Amino acid sequence: DSGIQGMDEFIHPTPQQLLAPSDLASTNPHQIYLYIGVILWIVGIGSLTVYSIITYMRLKLRVRMSVKMEEKVYECDDIADPFILGILRPRIYLPSTLVENAREYVLKHEKTHLIRRDYLWKLLAFFIATIYWFQPLCWIAYVLFCRDIEYACDERAISGESRDWKINYCETLMHCSVHEKIFSSCPVAFSENGVKD
């Protein structure tokens, strides 16, 4: 209490001033930034989720006329590369243009993915990348994780095979990977990548 009313009110505001400040005076820049950040984060998650659903539905439409070749294996005229599609009931889709001698190697590769449940691991990794979409290192980790999945799958697929079989396997995968990947951005579609390495 300085004895000067104006100074006392400036240093110690009255309860009325504390409880009913002006909008401008009550604005905390950190709260504004946090609010805007949360909105952007939610919009980013929503955008990636919607994009994933749309790419999944478009791919599903492309393979709707597939012909069943054997259990979990379908052949389709409207695709250029083999891949796995699905979460609860994953299926292998092969292009109808795939030559017969390449089918053995491609099926070995894709069935190894099914055995290892790589399609679920990729989906989990994409989910984490969707939550942390603003973090570039998370996307780098996602890309490297997908590449490591392919390496591990190839290692398991060729283990115990002859040198000639391994050569044919590698040549077949290289041939299958030269086309444009229409499903590479769809998290529930699983195809070969990192072929050069």
Side-chain angles (χ1 to χ4, degrees):
D1 186 1
S2 66
I4 305 171
Q5 185 178 359
M7 184 178 287
D8 291 344
E9 289 179 1
F10 177 75
I11 297 173
H12 303 290
T14 63
Q16 183 178 1
Q17 289 173 320
L18 288 172
L19 295 175
S22 67
D23 289 342
L24 185 59
S26 67
T27 302
N28 184 339
H30 296 294
Q31 290 176 332
I32 293 173
Y33 300 146
L34 183 62
Y35 178 75
I36 292 172
V38 168
I39 295 297
L40 288 175
W41 179 61
I42 291 171
V43 167
I45 291 173
S47 299
L48 284 170
T49 302
V50 168
Y51 177 75
S52 300
I53 292 170
I54 289 172
T55 55
Y56 173 78
M57 296 307 292
R58 286 181 62 200
L59 191 53
K60 197 75 171 157
L61 284 173
R62 286 189 81 158
V63 298
R64 70 184 181 277
M65 300 299 289
S66 300
V67 177
K68 186 173 183 177
M69 305 303 289
E70 58 182 88
E71 172 122 21
K72 295 185 178 184
V73 178
Y74 291 78
E75 192 172 74
C76 182
D77 294 334
D78 201 21
I79 59 173
D81 301 307
F83 60 91
I84 296 173
L85 181 65
I87 301 169
L88 299 177
R89 292 179 302 167
R91 296 175 178 171
I92 299 170
Y93 290 93
L94 303 175
S96 57
T97 56
L98 190 66
V99 292
E100 192 61 38
N101 59 348
R103 187 179 302 267
E104 172 192 356
Y105 306 108
V106 171
L107 280 176
K108 174 86 177 211
H109 178 84
E110 301 300 341
K111 285 181 178 180
T112 303
H113 277 310
L114 288 179
I115 291 168
R116 292 170 36 86
R117 301 198 190 295
D118 289 335
Y119 57 94
L120 293 177
W121 289 111
K122 183 181 178 187
L123 184 63
L124 176 62
F126 185 81
F127 174 74
I128 293 170
T130 299
I131 297 297
Y132 295 100
W133 63 266
F134 54 88
Q135 174 56 266
L137 291 177
C138 193
W139 287 105
I140 292 170
Y142 173 73
V143 169
L144 294 176
F145 177 75
C146 291
R147 190 175 296 170
D148 287 345
I149 285 177
E150 288 299 332
Y151 292 155
C153 176
D154 290 334
E155 285 293 326
R156 184 166 179 178
I158 65 175
S159 64
E161 301 291 349
S162 68
R163 185 175 187 278
D164 290 338
W165 193 95
K166 292 176 184 178
I167 291 171
N168 292 332
Y169 175 86
C170 292
E171 287 176 351
T172 301
L173 289 188
M174 282 180 24
H175 175 73
C176 290
S177 66
V178 296
H179 306 289
E180 180 185 354
K181 301 292 186 201
I182 59 162
F183 41 77
S184 59
S185 57
C186 184
V188 289
F190 203 92
S191 67
E192 175 73 11
N193 59 21
V195 174
K196 180 180 178 181
D197 294 337

